[in-house]
Amino acid sequence: MRKLNVFPAAFLLISSLLAGCSASPASAQPQSASPSTQEYHEEVVIVGAGGAGLISGITALEAGQDVLIIEKMSFAGGATLLSEGYIAGGGSTFQKEKGIDDDPETIYQDLMKGGKEKNQEDLARLYAENMGAAFNWLTDDLHVPFTEASPLSYPEHTHDRVMVVDGGGSQYVQILKTKYEELGGRILYDTKAQELLTDAGKVIGIRAEDKAGEEILLYADAVLLATGGFGASPDLRPEGLEDVVFYGAVSSTGDGIKMAEKIGAQTLFMDTMKIYPQGLLNPQEKELTDEGALVRNGISCAIGSKQTTNTTGSIYVNLEGSRFINENTDFVSIKEAQLLQPEKKMFLVMDQAGYDAWYAYTSTVLSTELAEDWFQREGQPIFIRAESLSSAAEQAGIDPVKLTETVQHFNEMAKKGNDSDFGRELTGGIEGDTYYIIELKLRTATTLGGVKTNDAMQVLDTQNEVIPGLYAAGEIVGGANGVESMPSCMNAWSLVSARKAASTILENLNH
Ligand SMILES: Cc1cc2nc3c(=O)[nH]c(=O)nc-3n(C[C@H](O)[C@H](O)[C@H](O)COP(=O)(O)OP(=O)(O)OC[C@H]3O[C@@H](n4cnc5c(N)ncnc54)[C@H](O)[C@@H]3O)c2cc1C
């Protein structure tokens, strides 16, 4: 570690940077000093100890390169820690051993289709061609334990390629962090990057602050931004998406995007967020961002919702009490259909068996105590349990007569085993003496826009020229997934882009 305390030259450098000029540390003359300023000289500084930061750190360390990660929180993980740990592993040995034949061209076509053909093509190619090898690295070198995802098949993927880390995102981060530290990697926690330092257009380091607001200057030959997305930053959220419930990481405030933009980086797709259906409004969860805004007010119950409509007769209806979609179709189609309904509202209607199937997969994020509290309360969230369907409908604000008709009709179709309305495979109807209605909100955690890079993960300016010394990986990079990422493709992107960024840095430093 090359750390120096008391750095008089740095003070002058920062003053000049704040004044809009850039200066080289060698040429800056000391005038005054802050005794608490710390200075580091490193070859590689990575900003962010989430999935992408840790993976690029491990990759660099495995190749013998020294690295330092700075992390603004007091712990590692970012959104990766919160994630369920689903990772697309198309083309991997693990997938092959399940008897599934996948190939980069098919993965590429799926990614493009999933991204509405808006994907940055070179990034999508990089992604498709390296997904399998990167996944193999996780299983073979890092011994990350995977199982096939359950429910296995996601309609967006033409081949079964979705795997899940045993133990989810927290276990995944634990393995990555342990490996990084075993290899001698260092992390400075509570250290928030504030600004990129430049010299004649080249990035030469980062100005950061510790928890007490003391300045830390980190000079480096290569700076890798792995700061994640911007869903938690109200000022960066696209217009019209303010009401979508947020269940992401409070650290996803787009810091890296803002810092890179300040020195001329190009961004793309900043007007998109990854919106999914099947969220729950959780009015009790009030996490604050650095800016003090209420950001985390939602829970995802996607897997439980998918499971209950797959295995029981549960249905989605709108405020009018009508079904409007095959409930077992892909997430994007459900979301798009929901957006067309009155007040953009969608409700899940279940009997006891349906609720049990839903809750079996939701209990990890919704305690029985909280669920009971919601059943008892009036107002938001709409979380109803009642002895009759019409009473449940009335409490939810849904037309009770129409809903009763809808359920009767659905039950008749279920008996015949033929959904003549939407072509869903039917596994039963809605019956018994207990009925549940839950409002499923649109939800978001992840953003798809960010800085533009080339396929070597070098950040590009507005003229599509490389900004020397600056690299990016993970959710901060826009483009690879287009405007609609497929399930499990954000963690996989983080993995592939981080491996690539580290190898580009290694190549550039060794030339
Ligand atoms: C609840 C949830 C579930 C998800 N489930 C899945 C899933 O199952 N499969 C999937 O593919 N995707 C999933 N995602 C999305 C996926 O997890 C993320 O896209 C991915 O983890 C992003 O990784 P990252 O390393 O780019 O960012 P992050 O993991 O968010 O890491 C960024 C790190 O940078 C740090 N940082 C930010 N700004 C600064 C700064 N100024 N200075 C220093 N440090 C800074 C942050 O604190 C954080 O630790 C999920 C996301 C959420 C929130």
Side-chain angles (χ1 to χ4, degrees):
M1 166 156 85
R2 279 138 292 156
K3 172 183 164 188
L4 306 172
N5 284 312
V6 187
F7 180 52
F11 188 77
L12 191 68
L13 172 69
I14 288 306
S15 310
S16 75
L17 282 165
L18 291 176
C21 318
S22 55
S24 123
S27 65
Q29 295 303 308
Q31 284 195 342
S32 64
S34 158
S36 50
T37 298
Q38 295 174 30
E39 182 195 343
Y40 289 77
H41 285 257
E42 304 286 335
E43 285 180 319
V44 184
V45 168
I46 298 171
V47 186
L54 289 168
I55 289 164
S56 41
I58 295 167
T59 307
L61 288 164
E62 282 183 333
Q65 184 73 57
D66 195 23
V67 283
L68 173 67
I69 298 182
I70 62 169
E71 168 54 55
K72 71 176 174 182
M73 309 297 277
S74 55
F75 54 88
T80 313
L81 184 73
L82 291 182
S83 90
E84 284 96 356
Y86 287 78
I87 303 184
S92 62
T93 310
F94 189 91
Q95 187 199 34
K96 222 181 192 75
E97 282 168 358
K98 309 278 166 213
I100 301 157
D101 244 348
D102 211 351
D103 63 276
E105 187 54 34
T106 310
I107 299 170
Y108 174 77
Q109 295 300 340
D110 283 2
L111 285 171
M112 294 301 290
K113 189 165 173 244
K116 305 249 174 208
E117 307 290 336
K118 295 268 171 41
N119 315 48
Q120 190 178 313
E121 286 178 23
D122 59 346
L123 291 190
R125 284 258 173 236
L126 167 81
Y127 189 8
E129 283 164 12
N130 292 284
M131 184 186 277
F135 193 90
N136 288 346
W137 177 76
L138 285 185
T139 50
D140 301 352
D141 290 37
L142 268 58
H143 308 294
V144 176
F146 281 99
T147 48
E148 297 147 281
S150 170
L152 183 64
S153 193
Y154 283 83
E156 291 90 337
H157 292 273
T158 55
H159 291 54
D160 283 347
R161 59 173 80 99
V162 175
M163 325 294 177
V164 60
V165 181
D166 295 339
S170 56
Q171 175 69 1
Y172 184 45
V173 167
Q174 189 54 46
I175 293 170
L176 295 176
K177 185 171 162 282
T178 303
K179 181 72 178 179
Y180 176 76
E181 287 170 350
E182 271 172 15
L183 290 167
R186 295 162 288 142
I187 304 177
L188 288 186
Y189 290 103
D190 293 317
T191 303
K192 182 174 180 183
Q194 301 283 355
E195 183 175 27
L196 289 160
L197 306 177
T198 59
D199 179 22
K202 182 183 185 317
V203 170
I204 57 164
I206 285 275
R207 180 175 73 80
E209 281 175 13
D210 67 15
K211 225 176 174 179
E214 298 294 350
E215 193 161 76
I216 304 174
L217 297 171
L218 301 114
Y219 293 99
D221 297 324
V223 172
L224 169 56
L225 296 175
T227 46
F230 63 87
S233 199
D235 57 325
L236 288 180
R237 265 202 185 197
E239 235 182 276
L241 299 182
E242 295 84 2
D243 290 348
V244 177
V245 300
F246 182 68
Y247 64 105
V250 291
S251 54
S252 299
T253 45
D255 302 6
I257 300 170
K258 291 178 190 166
M259 287 188 290
E261 260 193 315
K262 248 191 184 157
I263 64 152
Q266 190 179 160
T267 57
L268 69 171
F269 302 147
M270 290 299 289
D271 56 350
T272 50
M273 291 180 82
K274 176 69 204 162
I275 296 178
Y276 277 112
Q278 301 143 332
L280 291 174
L281 173 70
N282 179 3
Q284 291 182 339
E285 200 166 340
K286 293 189 176 164
E287 296 258 5
L288 301 182
T289 63
D290 289 344
E291 289 80 29
L294 168 66
V295 290
R296 198 195 288 163
N297 60 352
I299 294 175
S300 166
C301 60
I303 305 297
S305 304
K306 189 170 163 52
Q307 193 66 6
T308 189
T309 62
N310 266 337
T311 60
T312 73
S314 306
I315 56 172
Y316 295 146
V317 299
N318 59 18
L319 270 175
E320 292 162 351
S322 302
R323 280 178 79 217
F324 53 89
I325 189 137
N326 171 348
E327 290 83 353
N328 293 337
T329 191
D330 61 276
F331 292 142
V332 173
S333 302
I334 296 171
K335 171 193 78 177
E336 286 175 350
Q338 177 171 354
L339 284 167
L340 299 174
Q341 302 314 306
E343 298 182 34
K344 299 181 183 145
K345 290 193 176 191
M346 176 168 102
F347 301 86
L348 175 58
V349 182
M350 300 170 280
D351 59 15
Q352 188 64 51
Y355 182 78
D356 291 345
W358 181 82
Y359 192 67
Y361 281 83
T362 311
S363 57
T364 51
V365 285
L366 178 64
S367 67
T368 40
E369 292 76 23
L370 191 53
E372 261 325 300
D373 175 52
W374 288 357
F375 282 134
Q376 306 306 328
R377 70 161 70 189
E378 284 183 12
Q380 291 288 337
I382 304 291
F383 203 83
I384 314 284
R385 179 177 56 203
E387 288 174 2
S388 77
L389 188 61
S390 55
S391 162
E394 267 165 27
Q395 292 178 58
I398 298 172
D399 180 339
V401 177
K402 179 66 191 165
L403 182 62
T404 305
E405 276 172 31
T406 298
V407 169
Q408 274 167 2
H409 173 59
F410 182 80
N411 286 350
E412 281 161 22
M413 291 194 297
K415 271 191 202 128
K416 292 183 197 146
N418 176 26
D419 177 8
S420 49
D421 295 341
F422 297 103
R424 168 177 158 192
E425 224 168 89
L426 295 180
T427 45
I430 298 177
E431 51 211 351
D433 50 16
T434 312
Y435 295 87
Y436 294 81
I437 297 183
I438 294 173
E439 182 179 1
L440 297 182
K441 299 264 194 191
L442 295 171
R443 67 188 158 99
T444 189
T446 307
T447 44
L448 298 166
V451 296
K452 186 172 183 187
T453 69
N454 60 16
D455 60 4
M457 306 320 298
Q458 294 169 293
V459 178
L460 302 179
D461 67 15
T462 49
Q463 306 304 310
N464 283 324
E465 297 291 336
V466 166
I467 299 177
L470 188 61
Y471 307 79
E475 198 179 319
I476 181 183
V477 178
N481 287 292
V483 292
E484 276 288 3
S485 71
M486 292 195 296
S488 312
C489 278
M490 293 306 291
N491 278 334
W493 168 243
S494 184
L495 167 67
V496 170
S497 59
R499 299 269 297 152
K500 182 65 188 176
S503 69
T504 305
I505 290 172
L506 292 166
E507 269 173 36
N508 288 350
L509 293 186
N510 291 328
H511 274 148

